[in-house]
Amino acid sequence: QSLIQRTWEAAQMLHAVVQPVATERDVRHVEDDKFMTYTPSGTAEVVSERAGVTHLVHCWPMQGHSKGPFMPSSDFFRGCQAAVAVRHYFQATQEVAIYLSCMFEVAFPEYYSKYSAAFKAGVWEIADPGPWIGRAIVYKLQVLEHVDGLDDGPTASFCVGDFAGGELYLSDIDVKLSYRQGDIIIFMSGLLYHTVGTSNGITPGRVSHVFFFPQASFNELKDKPGSWMVATMAGA
């Protein structure tokens, strides 16, 4: 429970500085889902909070350059305060990342070995213990059913928040799974279509789920030496 609480708080602090982005290709209800409105306790004022996705990826190809140069995602660098917030987020969620890493190593040992080698080469923010090269924080957003086309290998999904509803659907295999805070699912997100059912009563400031995911770039990184990303300025 303490890890769940810490992840909640870290995500809230991060998104107070780094506003999540809701692109139309992700949003289920384009006009309604980009903001969550609510009335703070004890007031009659209606306020809104931005919903969306934050991508914290250590190393991926620049858009339009499939073979490089590799760069960290832009959500790392939205300003000085954002850089501090991102490092705080990774530091505050280290225990969760290590917990998921141990589960991943047991369930998928061969993939774990590949991911670890790629992560050591491509890591940018050293407060992240890995082995996933990136995270997507889905912050109060109802996303469309999709597959993660750029991902190659297992993704870990860690669900946190205060909400009702929101089962995980895997339509290719006709499965609906309970998806409550603390639930962890490790699955092939690049092969299986998935979506989360409508969540009701999301408490203001609560994150819905965090994906720890591979990127196709991990295939480019797995044979490179440790600290390659920083030591070579992304191969420059």
Side-chain angles (χ1 to χ4, degrees), residues 152-174:
D152 181 11
T155 291
S157 178
F158 176 54
C159 184
V160 297
D162 185 5
F163 56 89
E167 295 87 358
L168 180 71
Y169 297 98
L170 301 173
S171 58
D172 291 313
I173 53 176
D174 292 328

Side-chain angles (χ1 to χ4, degrees), residues 3-54:
L3 295 184
I4 294 170
Q5 181 69 26
R6 202 173 311 154
T7 305
W8 275 5
E9 293 169 356
Q12 290 175 65
M13 293 178 73
L14 173 66
H15 289 97
V17 177
V18 182
Q19 294 289 313
V21 177
T23 59
E24 292 195 5
R25 70 175 181 271
D26 295 327
V27 179
R28 189 176 300 176
H29 309 111
V30 174
E31 298 303 320
D32 300 329
D33 286 353
K34 290 186 178 181
F35 292 88
M36 189 192 85
T37 58
Y38 62 94
T39 302
S41 178
T43 73
E45 180 186 12
V46 177
V47 297
S48 62
E49 187 173 5
R50 189 180 293 274
V53 182
T54 301

Side-chain angles (χ1 to χ4, degrees), residues 23-163:
T23 59
E24 292 195 5
R25 70 175 181 271
D26 295 327
V27 179
R28 189 176 300 176
H29 309 111
V30 174
E31 298 303 320
D32 300 329
D33 286 353
K34 290 186 178 181
F35 292 88
M36 189 192 85
T37 58
Y38 62 94
T39 302
S41 178
T43 73
E45 180 186 12
V46 177
V47 297
S48 62
E49 187 173 5
R50 189 180 293 274
V53 182
T54 301
H55 288 95
L56 299 177
V57 186
H58 295 273
C59 182
W60 61 3
M62 290 183 67
Q63 188 142 5
H65 300 271
S66 61
K67 295 298 182 182
F70 293 114
M71 292 291 163
S73 57
S74 60
D75 286 341
F76 276 98
F77 307 109
R78 297 220 211 140
C80 299
Q81 192 177 9
V84 173
V86 168
R87 174 158 292 188
H88 174 270
Y89 170 78
F90 278 114
Q91 186 73 40
T93 58
Q94 277 187 346
E95 279 189 86
V96 167
I98 292 169
Y99 191 96
L100 294 175
S101 174
C102 291
M103 296 178 72
F104 178 43
E105 184 177 13
V106 170
F108 296 93
E110 290 185 12
Y111 271 108
Y112 177 84
S113 179
K114 290 180 183 178
Y115 280 31
S116 295
F119 180 82
K120 288 173 183 176
V123 61
W124 174 257
E125 175 47 70
I126 59 174
D128 183 3
W132 284 276
I133 205 71
R135 302 187 199 183
I137 307 170
V138 182
Y139 196 71
K140 289 189 284 295
L141 184 70
Q142 300 288 163
V143 296
L144 291 166
E145 185 178 42
H146 64 285
V147 291
D148 300 314
L150 295 177
D151 295 351
D152 181 11
T155 291
S157 178
F158 176 54
C159 184
V160 297
D162 185 5
F163 56 89

